[in-house]
Amino acid sequence: MKNLILAIESSCDDSSIAIIDKNTLECKFHKKISQELDHSIYGGVVPELAARLHSEALPKILKQCKEHFKNLCAIAVTNEPGLSVSLLSGISMAKTLASALNLPLIPINHLKGHIYSLFLEEKISLDMGILLVSGGHTMVLYLKDDANLELLASTNDDSFGESFDKVAKMMNLGYPGGVIIENLAKNAKLKNISFNIPLKYSKELAYSFSGLKNAVRLEILKHENLSNDIKAEIAYAFENTACDHIMDKLEKIFNLYKFKNFGVVGGASANLNLRSRLQNLCQKYNANLKLAPLKFCSDNALMIARAAVDAYEKKEFVSVEEDILSPKNKNFSRI
Ligand code: KG4
Ligand code: ZN
């Protein structure tokens, strides 16, 4: 039976391929090769390096799942948003496969993919609030019961995950900063440093992390010798303020929208401090909190494959001749 969908994800610095059974949602294959170490020395993703590493890694992964080719019914690929040179690596491979195997091609929006990480093994549930926190985006969304997505809040500048990356870079701690800062914060002995919560006195339902990043920079400059203890103290104060900011605006949104269900997705949703605060907020407002498995919070092709199952049902196919590369986040208004 030809009921498997192969999906490719290469929007940033992870090369990943997954194969899902569209009838049972069983994951038949999933592999990811992360480039984090390669970019670590530069303190961020270098696009040209990312593209070269994708073109080495993707064929290696593809070789390992050839046995499933005879049962494929479609090829899916992340086509937006992301780094154009990275997206292109996945798109060219997807187009070649779709042509060679004569299969339909399904473009998938990366952020939609993150939302599907909540529903890897089940039917998608609509009518829920969603916090999306990744390296490129910070958004609060309302996934309405007609599958339309309403944007309730987003960031005016840096994203939540990106601010962790930048703070880690300022203290020469490596990339990506999320896990590094989270682990360092746990070692804080003194807790005397504090930062202002961004937009605390503004009615605007929006996020902003650039002022906080600047406050961290100024705090670092105060210390002639940045000892490990000071770094940990800064990491602790920064992480808590960033989480305070997310929760401050989120609580205002919870008061306006009486969510019964609330989900959190994106690479930074792995942050345990954030998760435990969300747990408390949902408890207070009687909402069910839905979390993606930790392994599938960061970029992966299984979430893309899962999104492609629903797109296949709706026949959201494109021709291989079509230019589907779209580095900006264009088609993100519907699930
Ligand atoms: O979704 P993702 O894998 O890639 C994008 O689509 O951007 O998210 C990666 C981002 C990075 O900025 C990384 O530092 C952040 O998620 N991140 C975290 C944590 N784990 C990953 N941020 C805070 N705490 C974490 N534990
Ligand atoms: Zn992502």
Side-chain angles (χ1 to χ4, degrees), residues 161-173:
E162 185 182 11
S163 68
F164 280 71
D165 296 334
K166 289 186 172 166
V167 166
K169 189 175 181 181
M170 283 189 260
M171 297 198 280
N172 290 320
L173 297 170

Side-chain angles (χ1 to χ4, degrees), residues 8 17 28 47 70 93 120 171 182 199 201 218 227 239 263 324-325:
I8 304 170
I17 296 180
K28 294 286 189 183
K70 56 185 181 305
M93 175 176 268
L120 292 177
M171 297 198 280
E182 182 172 16
L199 304 179
Y201 301 101
L218 295 174
S227 66
E239 185 192 47
I324 54 171
L325 170 70

